[in-house]
Amino acid sequence: MAAVPDGERAPDRERVRELAERLLAAHDPKTTPAAEFLGARFDMGLAWVHFPPGLGGLGAPRGLQAVADAVIGAAGGPSAFAGNPIGYGMAGPTVAAFGSDEQKARYLRPMYTCEDIWCQLFSEPGAGSDVAGLATRAVRDGDAWVVDGQKVWTSLAHVARWGLLLARTDPGVPKHRGLTYFVLDMRAPGVEVRPLRQMTGDAEFNEVYLTGVRVPDSERLGQVGEGWKVALTTLMNERSALGGGTGPRGSGAIADAVALWRAHPGKQSPEARDRLTRLWAEAEAHRLTIQRARRGADRGTPGPEGSVGKLISAGLNKRIYDFCVDFLGPEGALYGSYEPRRPGQGNRSADGEVQRRFLRSLANSIEGGTSEIMRNIIGERVLGLAGEPRVDKDVPWRDVPRS
Ligand SMILES: Cc1cc2nc3c(=O)[nH]c(=O)nc-3n(C[C@H](O)[C@H](O)[C@H](O)COP(=O)(O)OP(=O)(O)OC[C@H]3O[C@@H](n4cnc5c(N)ncnc54)[C@H](O)[C@@H]3O)c2cc1C
């Protein structure tokens, strides 16, 4: 499975481009099934270029991922992020950083080919922004852990094969110190997934009830009690993945607005042109900022600056789709159908008519950490401003008052 034959030169920009072109020459994305194409891309080391050879990477600087993505994206190659956003964007980097050799060998390739969809079991009814305060318990029982609790907003849990589970293993120490991180088999007895419907009409996410679920200790990621450290890797990668800006110029949400403009010449006005042009310029500035940050990135976990991209992208997406529905006039209020849909592989609630995307964009400033929390992180960790008062920081979790 090793990607780069011994003796070939160390990966640089040109080398990554060459490999991407070689992949496209051997596997035409128009005729090759998506899983097969992605499998070949993984084997060539172009999945996560900063991962080691044999595990979907080349041991290259993380910033070179954009080179592979651009060449393969322009040729119409399938995207693992689109098919398995939590797997590609968050589970991959977490398993690579904290998994055993056996876990990396077992999980990464089917995750990348989207044969195994992943979900993230962090948020709970009483722990969203304050996810370190979560209450789901994992109690050691021989060579396994027994998990009881409830998770919520679990995107794609209904199609997921595996889940990233954060649970409390020691309630007697302060909240950040009593957590442990596991890979959860979503087919294990005691895992119950119930749909939650959103304002789009879709049920993209779920409540997940965990009742006496046995998780083998071999499915732990990181040390007992060090789950917060592992979770930070997931969260930093999540913010970086949600920051957008990775596609070519004019792609993403702004492409929808431009397409709408072109499709409705009768609705065009100088005011609308002015608004659209400003949004386009902002989208391009955001794209270039993200690309510059990624080019400079090494192979490690993204830092708190990922929160800047996530914050900007959430606000920009909302304003772009706001423009779209305003531009449509009364038609902007029409909605195809509120029939319940269960988005899964290749069928996300962000897809579909622009009105649906408008409604879905409202979640951008909540999912993956709210914009308020992004501002707190930027204030404290990027700008070095004084931290918020945190009264429960040194108190054992079990002694913190909660409703
Ligand atoms: C579309 C979507 C998909 C999601 N998918 C997943 C998933 O797959 N897995 C998962 O685990 N979670 C998921 N989530 C949950 C998401 O991470 C949480 O909704 C988010 O972290 C906010 O938590 P909360 O909803 O409990 O709100 P709360 O934390 O209760 O926040 C309520 C309000 O208070 C504000 N607030 C809270 N604390 C502070 C503070 N310290 N300073 C300033 N303001 C504050 C918040 O910004 C917000 O406006 C998803 C959410 C959405 C919308």
Side-chain angles (χ1 to χ4, degrees), residues 120 122-123 128-129 153 155 205 366-367 370 372-373 376 388:
Q120 177 198 20
F122 280 25
S123 303
S129 298
W153 316 128
S155 305
F205 46 46
I366 305 173
E367 61 193 318
T370 67
E372 289 76 23
I373 296 300
N376 282 351
E388 291 198 302

Side-chain angles (χ1 to χ4, degrees), residues 194-231:
R194 298 185 196 166
L196 280 177
R197 247 184 121 185
Q198 301 150 245
M199 69 193 298
T200 53
D202 300 340
E204 180 186 15
F205 46 46
N206 306 272
E207 298 177 291
V208 178
Y209 290 84
L210 305 167
T211 312
V213 182
R214 289 188 74 82
V215 180
D217 186 55
S218 56
E219 291 296 18
R220 177 164 42 80
L221 290 180
Q223 300 302 310
V224 175
E226 292 192 4
W228 185 245
K229 185 169 138 195
V230 187

Side-chain angles (χ1 to χ4, degrees), residues 86 90 118-131 151-157 164 198 204-206 235 238-239 349 360 362-374 376 388-390:
I86 295 169
M90 293 143 71
W118 285 63
C119 67
Q120 177 198 20
L121 298 145
F122 280 25
S123 303
E124 297 183 3
S129 298
D130 180 25
V131 71
K151 297 290 177 176
V152 75
W153 316 128
T154 319
S155 305
L156 300 174
L164 299 169
Q198 301 150 245
E204 180 186 15
F205 46 46
N206 306 272
L235 292 170
E238 176 173 28
R239 282 155 201 168
S349 70
R360 179 60 180 79
L362 300 179
N364 292 165
S365 54
I366 305 173
E367 61 193 318
T370 67
S371 289
E372 289 76 23
I373 296 300
M374 293 308 110
N376 282 351
E388 291 198 302
R390 294 187 172 89

